[in-house]
């Protein structure tokens, strides 16, 4: 099986000369089709920069990113980013439905009516039936992020890059959205790469957790999460394998932080 | 008490007008200013009626209002076009910024004598003066607003395959439009001032010229009547801008008005 996404010795630095600030160095990873991979790391390690490089929104300084075997230079078709800042990512002058249709502009083989039907179908899949005519700013934060996720999927996406998508929603909504994301990923055959600073979320959602080191960051450990599916907010979080993986990730991040502070 | 407040809220516009009339009449009757220079309200209304019935004021008003309106449309379009050009080229942006820094503080009246020498008395003069003073608010707001568009919005556009120019037209310009309209609204007021001043100093027609003539003829009630007309024209011009603004950026107004 060929990987859907690979990063090979990717490096990214800002500035030049003495002002050169390396963010990523020698980062290699691969994501297989159908997988749910979480990326965690100490805060400020450059997770968002990495995601931008993977999405083709930022050119890496070294190495290369490939999506379905093709080298990524611009955002490729079939890859959607769900940004943390949903209130800015959704265009406020478009209704929820029009935002989703905006995401479908590169979709081929569908006429206007078919696109509209597909958009309505995905809107109802994220639980927003009846909110197609609302503007994003007329609905709650959690609902806005669901519109953004729906838009990502509607763009004939195969790979969702999720940049801390749930960081700005409240705790209750967050748990519901985690389950919704897992459900959507299975239902619409989405491979997912989730960037998060929440270790429990990373373990709960993923088949595999990649732990990033401090800046300049690279993958320092890969942890397989062997937990039964579908995941359950209570049972999964009490499962020994969950606790074990969570412990391993947290201990690793803590040791990195101590080393950074000591240095 | 409550009923009185409700009444005041409902009829606030006529009540305010009534208040102005009352104070005006009180000053007139107190005789602080010689009667010749400060006519009573009935005299002013009478003067307006006279000018209205002989038709002179209508032609003059249409001329003046059209000048202000066309000037505003031209200046706003030019301002937005320059803002887009500045956005594409930082060098051009800096150049225009110097020009605007120099020209902006100059009052419209100061441009008129120069324009008379350069362009003579006519349409070109009006176009020159109005555009030169009215173009800046839409331009400056446009530049700031285009720069201030969130990188997340831009990245969203890029992610869905929009080209640079598509991002400008479909993402950044719509996002910047509410702030551009704040500039256009301000420009509407300046445009009317520029027209009246030009007509007063170098005109052969229009309300400004009419005011000038009436001043020299010592027709104070006519002058005041015309001043009220200018005030109403300002309100009308602002109203037209507000209509267009609601049509194009109604989403923003509703977003700002919504209860938290």
């Amino acid at each position: 099986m060929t990987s859907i996404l690979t990063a090979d010795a990717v490096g990214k630095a800002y500035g030049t000369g003495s002002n050169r600030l390396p963010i990523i160095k020698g980062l290699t990873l691969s994501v297989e089709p159908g997988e749910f991979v979480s990326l965690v790391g100490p805060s400020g390690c450059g997770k968002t920069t990495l995601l931008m490089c993977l999405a083709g929104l930022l050119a890496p300084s070294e190495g290369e990113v490939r999506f379905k075997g093709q080298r990524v230079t611009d955002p490729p078709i079939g890859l959607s980013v769900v940004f943390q800042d949903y209130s800015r990512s959704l265009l406020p002058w478009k209704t929820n439905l029009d935002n989703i249709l905006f995401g479908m502009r590169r979709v081929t083989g569908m006429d206007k009516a078919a696109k509209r039907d597909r958009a309505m179908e995905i809107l109802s899949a994220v639980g927003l039936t009846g909110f197609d005519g609302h503007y994003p700013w007329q609905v709650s934060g959690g609902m806005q992020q669901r519109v953004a996720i729906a838009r990502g999927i509607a763009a004939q996406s195969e790979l969702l890059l999720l940049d801390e998508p749930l960081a700005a929603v409240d705790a209750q909504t967050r748990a519901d959205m985690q389950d919704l994301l897992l459900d959507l990923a299975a239902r619409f055959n989405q491979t997912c790469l989730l960037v998060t600073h929440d270790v429990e979320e990373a373990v709960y959602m993923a088949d595999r957790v990649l732990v990033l080191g401090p800046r300049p960051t690279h993958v320092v450990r890969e942890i397989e999460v062997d937990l039964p599916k579908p995941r359950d907010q209570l049972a999964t979080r009490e499962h020994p394998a969950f606790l074990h993986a969570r412990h391993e990730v947290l201990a690793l991040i803590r040791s990195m932080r101590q080393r950074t502070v000591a240095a | 008490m409550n009923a009185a407040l409700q009444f005041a809220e409902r009829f606030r516009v006529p009540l305010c007008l009534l208040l102005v009339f009352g104070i005006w009449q009180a000053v007139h009757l107190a005789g602080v200013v010689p009667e010749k220079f400060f006519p009573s309200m009935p005299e002013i209304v009478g003067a307006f009626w006279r000018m209205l019935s002989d038709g002179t004021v209508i032609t003059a008003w249409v001329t003046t209002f059209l000048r202000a309106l066309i000037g505003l449309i031209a200046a706003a379009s030019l301002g937005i076009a320059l803002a887009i050009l500045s956005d594409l080229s930082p060098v051009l942006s800096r150049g225009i910024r110097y020009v605007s820094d120099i020209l902006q503080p100059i009052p419209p009246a100061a441009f008129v004598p120069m324009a008379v020498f350069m362009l003579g008395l006519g349409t070109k003069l009006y176009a020159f003066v109005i555009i030169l003073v009215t173009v800046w608010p839409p331009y400056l707001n446009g530049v700031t607003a285009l720069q201030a568009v969130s990188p997340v919005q831009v990245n969203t556009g890029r992610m869905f395959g929009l080209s640079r120019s598509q991002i400008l037209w479909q993402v950044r310009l719509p996002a910047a439009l509410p702030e551009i309209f704040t500039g256009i609204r301000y420009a509407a007021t300046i445009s009317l001032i520029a027209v009246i001043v030009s007509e007063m100093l170098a005109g052969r027609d229009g309300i400004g010229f009419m005011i000038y003539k009436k001043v020299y003829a010592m027709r104070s009630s006519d002058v005041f009547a015309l001043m009220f007309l200018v005030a109403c024209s300002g309100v009308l011009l602002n109203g037209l801008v507000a209509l267009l603004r609601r049509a194009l950026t109604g989403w923003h107004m509703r977003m700002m008005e919504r209860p938290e």
Side-chain angles (χ1 to χ4, degrees):
Chain A
M1 196 158 56
T2 50
S3 303
I4 188 163
L5 183 77
T6 57
D8 185 22
V10 165
K12 178 73 191 173
Y14 291 113
T16 49
S18 59
N19 287 324
R20 192 176 157 87
L21 183 68
I23 308 288
I24 305 167
K25 181 89 190 154
L27 185 139
T28 297
L29 62 78
S30 66
V31 179
E32 307 308 317
E35 254 194 322
F36 201 118
V37 176
S38 291
L39 271 173
V40 281
S43 47
C45 73
K47 294 188 286 268
T48 296
T49 304
L50 171 61
L51 205 82
M52 296 295 108
C53 288
L54 295 178
L57 289 167
L58 205 59
S61 324
E62 304 153 13
E64 62 171 26
V65 175
R66 282 178 181 272
F67 174 68
K68 296 204 291 181
Q70 296 289 314
R71 186 169 181 163
V72 172
T73 48
D74 282 308
I77 298 176
L79 183 159
S80 294
V81 182
V82 176
F83 297 93
Q84 178 184 348
D85 194 352
Y86 44 77
S87 67
R88 288 185 208 287
S89 172
L90 295 172
L91 304 178
W93 57 90
K94 288 182 186 288
T95 61
N96 291 336
L97 177 65
D98 286 338
N99 264 291
I100 294 176
L101 290 172
F102 179 72
M104 296 176 79
R105 50 187 299 288
R106 282 200 290 188
V107 170
T108 48
M110 268 193 222
D111 63 4
K112 240 181 170 162
K115 281 187 180 178
R116 212 188 126 89
D117 289 345
R118 175 74 173 159
M120 294 298 267
E121 180 200 335
I122 297 175
L123 254 183
S124 81
V126 298
L128 289 176
T129 313
F131 287 98
D132 52 291
H134 286 65
Y135 286 88
W137 38 269
Q138 290 175 318
V139 300
S140 73
M143 287 160 99
Q144 288 178 45
Q145 192 57 298
R146 279 188 273 162
V147 175
I149 294 166
R151 183 181 63 182
I153 295 171
Q156 268 178 352
S157 156
E158 295 165 53
L159 175 66
L160 286 182
L161 298 182
L162 304 147
D163 184 13
E164 305 206 23
L166 309 181
V169 300
D170 62 271
Q172 186 65 55
T173 312
R174 203 170 169 151
D176 294 341
M177 298 266 302
Q178 288 169 350
D179 292 331
L180 178 71
L181 261 178
L182 286 174
D183 177 52
L184 291 169
R187 208 162 139 189
F188 293 98
N189 300 316
Q190 300 293 307
T191 305
C192 294
L193 182 63
L194 170 75
V195 167
T196 178
H197 62 257
D198 180 342
V199 172
E200 300 211 8
E201 179 171 280
V203 175
Y204 178 77
M205 308 281 285
D207 302 309
R208 198 150 56 94
V209 177
L210 301 178
V211 183
L212 298 171
R215 264 192 343 219
T217 198
H218 61 279
V219 178
V220 293
R221 193 171 305 173
E222 181 182 326
I223 296 161
E224 296 282 340
V225 181
D226 191 17
L227 282 164
K229 287 185 182 177
R231 305 280 159 94
D232 179 273
Q233 288 289 348
L234 286 175
T236 302
R237 286 175 190 271
E238 288 162 2
H239 199 285
F242 177 87
L243 297 173
H244 182 260
R246 171 179 170 272
H247 181 95
E248 194 178 347
V249 176
L250 278 174
L252 190 60
I253 289 177
R254 190 169 62 180
S255 74
M256 286 189 292
R257 201 163 44 220
Q258 278 164 349
R259 232 175 306 151
T260 319
V261 172
Chain B
M1 186 60 207
N2 213 352
L5 270 178
Q6 259 176 11
F7 179 82
E9 171 67 25
R10 200 179 147 85
F11 295 100
R12 57 185 188 278
V13 176
L15 281 175
C16 279
L17 283 177
L18 215 63
L19 194 69
V20 172
F21 268 55
I23 294 172
W24 188 287
Q25 278 305 89
V27 174
H28 172 76
L29 290 174
V32 194
V33 188
E35 198 180 323
K36 208 159 95 184
F37 304 121
F38 204 87
S40 71
M41 269 295 162
E43 281 175 74
I44 294 173
V45 174
F48 185 68
W49 189 248
R50 234 182 5 261
M51 289 188 289
L52 206 60
S53 42
D54 70 17
T56 48
V57 77
I58 297 178
T59 354
W61 180 79
V62 170
T63 308
T64 299
F65 192 76
L66 279 183
R67 276 180 188 146
L69 185 65
I70 294 169
L72 176 64
I73 293 169
S77 312
L78 184 66
I80 295 170
L82 286 177
I84 291 171
L85 285 176
S86 295
D87 189 69
L88 297 174
S89 151
V91 178
L92 192 68
S93 171
R94 246 171 292 145
I96 301 178
R97 183 54 69 103
Y98 288 133
V99 176
S100 87
D101 281 350
I102 294 166
L103 292 183
Q104 237 198 330
I106 303 177
F111 284 116
V112 177
M114 179 177 83
V116 171
F117 288 137
M118 279 165 50
L119 306 164
L121 305 168
T123 316
K124 275 187 280 185
L125 173 127
Y126 292 108
F128 177 77
V129 176
I130 299 168
I131 289 175
L132 212 53
V133 298
T134 311
V135 73
W136 306 118
Y139 168 72
L140 293 170
N141 278 27
V143 171
T144 319
L146 283 173
Q147 291 295 318
V149 173
S150 156
V152 176
Q153 278 183 345
V154 173
N155 275 339
T156 298
R158 289 182 57 203
M159 177 176 80
F160 293 124
L162 270 71
S163 67
R164 228 175 100 99
S165 72
Q166 283 173 323
I167 285 176
L168 177 64
W169 292 106
Q170 295 179 35
V171 178
R172 297 177 65 217
L173 207 56
L177 214 48
E179 205 174 320
I180 292 175
F181 261 102
T182 310
I184 296 178
R185 207 198 141 91
Y186 183 55
T189 313
I190 308 177
S191 166
L192 193 63
I193 294 173
V195 174
I196 300 284
V197 164
S198 306
E199 287 172 348
M200 287 176 83
L201 295 179
R204 284 172 299 192
D205 50 11
I207 295 288
F209 180 63
M210 216 169 155
I211 292 177
Y212 209 62
K213 268 196 313 187
K214 301 288 185 187
V215 168
Y216 273 93
M218 299 286 276
R219 302 287 289 267
S220 59
S221 36
D222 288 6
V223 172
F224 283 114
L226 292 172
M227 278 168 57
F228 280 114
L229 185 62
V230 172
C232 295
S233 310
V235 173
L236 181 61
L237 202 56
N238 273 337
L240 289 178
V241 173
L243 271 180
L244 188 66
R245 182 186 197 176
R246 191 160 276 281
L248 292 179
T249 67
W251 62 271
H252 186 258
M253 298 168 90
R254 275 175 287 142
M255 189 168 99
M256 292 294 133
E257 282 161 8
R258 82 191 190 283
E260 266 307 324

